[in-house]
């Protein structure tokens, strides 16, 4: 029975002193702290080993805040106070009502009981023990606290993954996908499912490498991949509503996936379904146009082609082509063209004995100076040192 | 008598909890370690063939290999006790400058399942380390992996280092996304494998096992 339920009018001021004394006594055996009972507004009622004098309004607010935080996170959280003390608290509850709280506090100096070079006081353990003691006395709603702890843990995991995603270089995976996308699309269209899976497997290998053992990160990458392939499907003519519905269901299912063993069949089902949707719509769409444009660019790299030439080759107005290109490839036409030219030049530098001038020309650069500048910007070294470096490696 | 088909199926579907408990059950039921290993290998071969034919995705292959690996760990002591000896020792690693390990790990796990003793040197392995490991473990096979075009020269350097040590009976198998058969010929490797499943066949072929 809840100790507070014995009281006719549940009120924290009527909390049995003997219960508090028992908690305080046991807790103080292990920890060098002060401990007190406060009302929801932070007003102190009973205390043991607490600091002398009245608490200021600010102080009371702080103690009340600690009780609220203890409830919010489902376990005590340590607050540092300007008076160089640290506090943590557990709410006293009857059902969902907060009647007040039990607060523990210690001086900053007590944090290092055996000297500054020694391990500090295990505050996390101190917090946990206080909560368990109060739960054992049935003075709080442990179910509510547990639920809050689970929620907090989930939020923490989510925040950590978001943080990792920010740190990760997602652009590598995204660029690989964009490079592979036109071929993926055309193999799906041609009904060459085997080749399509091979392309997806290349992307998956890169994803798994980037994410390593961090499973939540693997999930995030997979989510990104599925969302991107769904976008491709819609652009290829699949019914957006159907794709959205499938996508939503898949993402909901993904949330409860906790291991690679569960993830593998999920991914297989989602990818096959999406490829079916793409294959079912053999229309000529923007993705196909961009595929043709990129093929045209590759075939004419050595020529002085520009945006207008490529737009004309795929029967689009230059401005519409520019928009479509950027939307689809993720970077502008000129930027992509220079990248392709530099990649081509790098290949020639390794594979041939052509001079730098000849290579610049063969890669479509009119001026050698511009070639050298572009090459350095994208590859981090000059064409000459790139060739030298590669030759040294081979040697 | 216990049916080992369930173990084959558990390996194939990558259900490692089931695979490990079935392995233990099979051992408790006094089935011969060799028959248990054979059942596992059948499962691994089936998923490997599917992977070779591009019918499954990398994560499916990965979980099957993990299930196999964990079951092997349970089986290994009994296998050794029963007088089982690996067919040969193989050294594997991703070459210097390359930190990618998914493909290499897959090959490593598949080799272990195909009766090879595998020494996995990890990623970014220098030619010297490869040579030292071959000598130390008396390896008859070396697997070199690379995922980056820029690390292909390291592959060449490693092949040359191994050849220059006159470790003539060591076969070198290379693989990885940018690698091709003609590159293998060019640098003097003994074989090339386009994927993890084929790497088992190629290894056995090079070692004259099948």
């Amino acid at each position: 029975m809840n100790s507070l339920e014995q009281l006719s009018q549940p009120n924290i001021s009527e909390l049995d002193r003997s219960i508090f004394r028992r908690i305080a006594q046991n807790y103080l055996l292990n920890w060098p702290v002060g401990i007190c009972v406060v009302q929801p507004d932070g007003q102190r009622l009973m205390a043991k080993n607490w600091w002398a004098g009245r608490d200021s309004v600010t102080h009371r607010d702080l103690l009340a805040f600690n009780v609220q935080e203890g409830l919010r996170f489902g376990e005590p959280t340590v607050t540092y106070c300007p008076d160089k003390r640290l506090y943590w608290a557990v709410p006293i509850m009857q059902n969902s009502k907060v009647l007040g709280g039990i607060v523990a506090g210690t001086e900053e100096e007590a944090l290092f009981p055996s000297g500054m070079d020694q391990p500090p006081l295990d505050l996390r353990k101190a917090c946990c023990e206080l909560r368990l003691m109060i739960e054992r006395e049935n003075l709080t709603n442990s179910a509510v606290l547990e639920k809050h702890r689970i929620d907090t843990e989930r939020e923490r995991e989510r925040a950590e993954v978001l943080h990792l995603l920010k740190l990760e270089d997602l652009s590598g995976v995204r660029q690989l996908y964009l490079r592979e996308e036109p071929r993926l699309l055309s193999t799906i269209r041609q009904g060459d499912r085997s080749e399509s899976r091979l392309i997806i497997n290349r992307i998956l290998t890169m994803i798994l490498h980037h994410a390593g053992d961090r499973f939540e990160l693997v999930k995030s990458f997979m989510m990104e991949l599925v969302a991107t392939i769904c976008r491709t499907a819609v652009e290829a003519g699949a019914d957006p509503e159907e794709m959205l519905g499938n996508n939503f269901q898949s993402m909901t299912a993904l949330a409860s996936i906790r291991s690679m063993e569960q993830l593998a069949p999920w991914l297989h089902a989602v990818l096959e379904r999406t490829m079916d949707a793409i294959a079912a719509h053999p229309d000529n769409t923007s993705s196909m146009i961009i595929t043709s444009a990129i093929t045209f660019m590759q075939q004419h790299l050595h020529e002085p082609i520009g945006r207008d030439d490529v737009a004309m080759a795929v029967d689009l107005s230059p401005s519409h082509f520019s928009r479509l290109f950027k939307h689809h490839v993720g970077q502008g036409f000129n930027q992509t063209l220079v990248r392709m030219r530099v990649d081509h030049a790098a290949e020639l530098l390794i594979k041939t004995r052509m001079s730098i001038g000849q290579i610049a020309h063969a890669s479509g650069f009119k001026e050698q100076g511009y070639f050298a500048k572009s090459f350095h910007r994208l590859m981090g070294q000059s064409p000459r040192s790139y060739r030298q470096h590669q030759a040294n490696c081979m040697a | 008598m216990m049916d080992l088909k369930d173990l084959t199926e558990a390996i194939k579907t990558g259900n490692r909890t089931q695979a490990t408990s079935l392995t233990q059950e099979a051992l408790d039921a006094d089935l011969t370690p060799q028959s248990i290993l054979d059942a596992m290998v059948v499962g691994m071969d089936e998923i490997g063939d599917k992977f070779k034919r591009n019918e499954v995705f990398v994560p499916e292959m990965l979980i099957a290999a993990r299930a196999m690996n964990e079951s092997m760990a349970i089986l290994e002591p009994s296998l050794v006790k029963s007088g089982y000896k690996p067919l040969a020792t193989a050294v594997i690693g991703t070459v210097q400058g390359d930190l990618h390990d998914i493909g290499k790990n897959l090959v490593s796990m598949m080799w272990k399942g195909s009766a090879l003793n595998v020494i996995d040197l990890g990623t970014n392995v220098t030619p010297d380390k490869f040579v030292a490991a071959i000598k130390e473990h008396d390896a008859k096979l070396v697997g070199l992996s690379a995922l980056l075009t820029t690390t292909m020269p390291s592959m060449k350097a490693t092949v040359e280092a191994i050849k220059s040590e006159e470790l003539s009976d060591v076969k070198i198998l290379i693989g990885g996304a940018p690698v091709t058969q003609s590159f293998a010929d060019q640098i003097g490797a003994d074989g090339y494998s386009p994927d993890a499943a084929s790497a088992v066949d190629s290894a056995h072929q090079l070692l004259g096992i099948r």
Side-chain angles (χ1 to χ4, degrees):
Chain A
M1 192 196 284
N2 186 324
S3 306
L4 293 169
E5 278 171 9
Q6 298 166 17
L7 310 165
S8 51
Q9 292 268 312
N11 188 318
I12 191 139
S13 58
E14 292 173 45
L15 169 68
D16 195 333
R17 276 187 180 274
S18 64
I19 297 175
F20 172 68
R21 237 179 273 133
R22 191 162 59 230
I23 293 174
Q25 215 165 19
N26 286 337
Y27 198 58
L28 265 51
L29 274 179
N30 292 335
W31 305 99
V33 297
I35 188 165
C36 70
V37 177
V38 295
Q39 288 182 333
D41 63 359
Q43 182 81 42
R44 196 149 40 90
L45 294 174
M46 301 168 227
K48 176 102 178 145
N49 207 22
W50 201 258
W51 294 269
R54 278 172 64 107
D55 292 333
S56 67
V57 177
T58 326
H59 220 103
R60 282 205 297 273
D61 285 349
L62 191 86
L63 297 183
F65 172 73
N66 255 292
V67 174
Q68 285 161 16
E69 291 290 280
L71 173 65
R72 187 155 79 104
F73 294 113
E75 65 185 337
T77 56
V78 180
T79 313
Y80 182 73
C81 181
D83 62 6
K84 297 194 173 170
R85 288 180 205 160
L86 299 117
Y87 297 114
W88 54 98
V90 177
I92 291 181
M93 300 171 75
Q94 191 187 34
N95 299 324
S96 58
K97 192 173 177 207
V98 176
L99 306 176
I102 293 188
V103 186
T106 188
E107 299 277 354
E108 188 184 25
E109 295 157 0
L111 270 183
F112 293 91
S114 339
M116 286 300 277
D117 298 334
Q118 299 303 311
L121 205 65
D122 190 348
L123 280 184
R124 192 166 165 73
K125 196 172 167 198
C127 287
C128 197
E129 266 183 26
L130 183 65
R131 173 176 61 77
L132 289 173
M133 255 179 201
I134 293 167
E135 279 181 353
R136 268 200 299 274
E137 294 288 351
N138 216 359
L139 290 176
T140 190
N141 188 335
S142 40
V144 167
L145 294 188
E146 190 186 357
K147 183 183 174 300
H148 288 188
R149 270 199 307 283
I150 293 170
D151 289 347
T152 308
E153 180 67 12
R154 196 182 304 126
E155 283 304 312
R156 189 184 58 77
E157 272 180 24
R158 194 176 301 167
E160 274 179 11
V161 170
L162 281 175
H163 184 64
L164 277 174
L165 270 176
K166 277 185 211 157
L167 291 178
E168 275 299 319
D169 183 16
L170 264 171
S171 61
V173 175
R174 201 171 291 141
Q175 269 176 14
L176 176 68
Y177 180 80
L178 286 171
R179 273 204 305 278
E180 300 275 15
E181 190 184 40
R183 261 194 61 202
L184 176 62
L185 205 57
S186 88
T187 53
I188 296 174
R189 285 260 170 69
Q190 288 158 10
D192 190 350
R193 203 50 81 86
S194 163
E195 187 66 21
S196 316
R197 289 196 199 96
L198 186 68
I199 295 171
I200 294 180
N201 271 339
R202 272 207 290 272
I203 303 168
L204 285 172
T205 303
M206 181 133 174
I207 288 178
L208 291 170
H209 167 70
H210 267 273
D213 293 334
R214 294 163 296 180
F215 187 66
E216 287 301 315
L217 198 60
V218 173
K219 272 169 69 174
S220 306
F221 275 129
M222 294 301 176
M223 200 156 79
E224 166 107 4
L225 175 69
V226 169
T228 318
I229 296 184
C230 283
R231 175 183 63 76
T232 308
V234 171
E235 284 189 6
D239 178 13
E241 263 180 46
E242 190 192 325
M243 287 315 299
L244 188 68
N246 283 343
N247 208 348
F248 181 72
Q249 275 173 12
S250 313
M251 296 301 176
T252 314
L254 182 63
S256 57
I257 286 176
R258 293 258 165 249
S259 69
M260 198 59 131
E261 279 75 11
Q262 294 170 309
L263 183 72
W266 171 88
L267 188 72
H268 189 104
V270 175
L271 292 175
E272 293 296 329
R273 200 169 52 218
T274 314
M275 286 196 281
D276 287 342
I278 298 175
H281 295 87
D283 315 345
N284 196 15
T285 60
S286 53
S287 309
M288 292 305 276
I289 295 172
I290 297 303
T291 309
S292 315
I294 289 177
T295 311
F296 180 86
M297 286 157 75
Q298 268 159 352
Q299 286 166 349
H300 295 84
L301 264 190
H302 58 287
E303 295 169 25
I305 48 163
R307 180 195 65 166
D308 294 2
D309 305 304
V310 184
M312 199 188 290
V314 294
D315 296 324
L316 285 183
S317 77
S319 58
H320 181 54
F321 171 71
S322 277
R323 265 200 309 279
L324 200 65
F325 192 92
K326 180 144 195 193
H327 171 70
H328 202 84
V329 181
Q331 61 181 9
F333 172 82
N334 284 329
Q335 218 179 338
T336 310
L337 184 63
V338 172
R339 175 87 243 184
M340 286 167 80
R341 289 194 200 281
V342 166
D343 285 347
H344 183 60
E347 206 179 322
L348 293 178
L349 283 165
I350 300 174
K351 290 187 177 166
T352 71
R353 290 174 176 275
M354 288 160 74
S355 71
I356 306 281
Q358 284 170 325
I359 287 176
H361 186 71
S363 313
F365 288 96
K366 274 186 265 178
E367 294 163 25
Q368 202 175 322
Y370 179 58
F371 165 59
K373 208 170 136 189
S374 305
F375 194 94
H376 197 278
R377 183 164 51 82
L378 292 173
M379 308 298 279
Q381 53 189 333
S382 72
R384 200 172 303 280
S385 47
Y386 179 81
R387 176 177 257 173
Q388 190 62 46
H389 180 71
Q390 294 298 323
N392 288 344
C393 288
M394 285 296 259
Chain B
M1 187 167 160
M2 191 187 159
D3 191 355
L4 284 169
K5 275 186 189 151
D6 293 341
L7 176 59
T8 301
E9 191 61 25
I11 298 281
K12 200 171 95 181
T13 53
N15 187 337
R16 60 177 155 165
T17 321
Q18 208 185 357
T20 46
S21 70
L22 284 171
T23 306
Q24 191 56 56
E25 268 177 45
L27 283 171
D28 295 344
D30 280 337
L31 295 181
T32 63
Q34 186 62 51
S35 66
I36 304 172
L37 177 65
D38 290 346
M40 288 182 195
V41 171
V42 170
M44 208 57 214
D45 278 351
E46 284 182 23
I47 187 80
D49 284 342
K50 280 188 161 197
F51 187 66
K52 222 175 344 184
R53 293 196 301 267
N54 293 319
E55 288 174 15
V56 290
F57 296 103
V58 173
E60 289 157 272
M61 188 69 198
L62 210 58
I63 56 169
R66 271 191 204 168
M68 173 89 190
N69 229 22
E70 290 189 12
S71 305
M72 272 296 280
I74 295 173
L75 184 66
E76 218 154 19
S78 310
L79 262 180
V80 173
K81 222 185 280 174
S82 73
Y84 164 88
K85 278 201 172 60
L87 297 169
T89 294
V91 165
I92 192 168
T94 308
V95 294
Q96 189 172 19
D98 206 319
L99 296 168
H100 295 84
D101 62 359
I102 304 286
K104 186 264 301 166
N105 289 350
L106 274 177
V107 174
S108 165
M109 286 195 261
M110 304 243 350
W111 277 2
K112 277 183 195 165
S114 72
L116 291 175
N117 173 33
V118 182
I119 310 295
D120 190 338
L121 301 178
T123 60
N124 194 17
V125 183
T126 58
D128 295 350
K129 272 195 198 157
F130 274 109
V131 170
I134 294 166
K135 287 182 183 167
E136 187 189 339
H137 301 283
D138 190 24
K140 298 292 172 223
L141 179 70
V142 187
L144 306 181
S145 167
L147 197 95
L148 303 171
T149 322
T150 48
T151 50
M152 284 165 71
S154 289
M155 227 173 211
K156 185 173 185 239
T158 310
V159 170
E160 279 169 1
I162 296 169
K163 298 263 169 184
S164 71
E165 290 284 330
E166 291 176 6
L167 302 158
S168 54
D169 56 343
V170 178
K171 301 290 181 194
I172 306 170
L173 183 66
I174 65 169
V179 178
T180 57
Q181 180 63 55
S182 66
F183 179 73
D185 297 341
Q186 196 190 322
I187 65 170
D190 299 297
Y192 151 75
S193 189
D195 56 69
S198 319
V200 175
D201 298 339
S202 312
H204 284 193
Q205 214 174 3
L206 286 176
L207 294 168
I209 294 170
R210 270 181 197 169

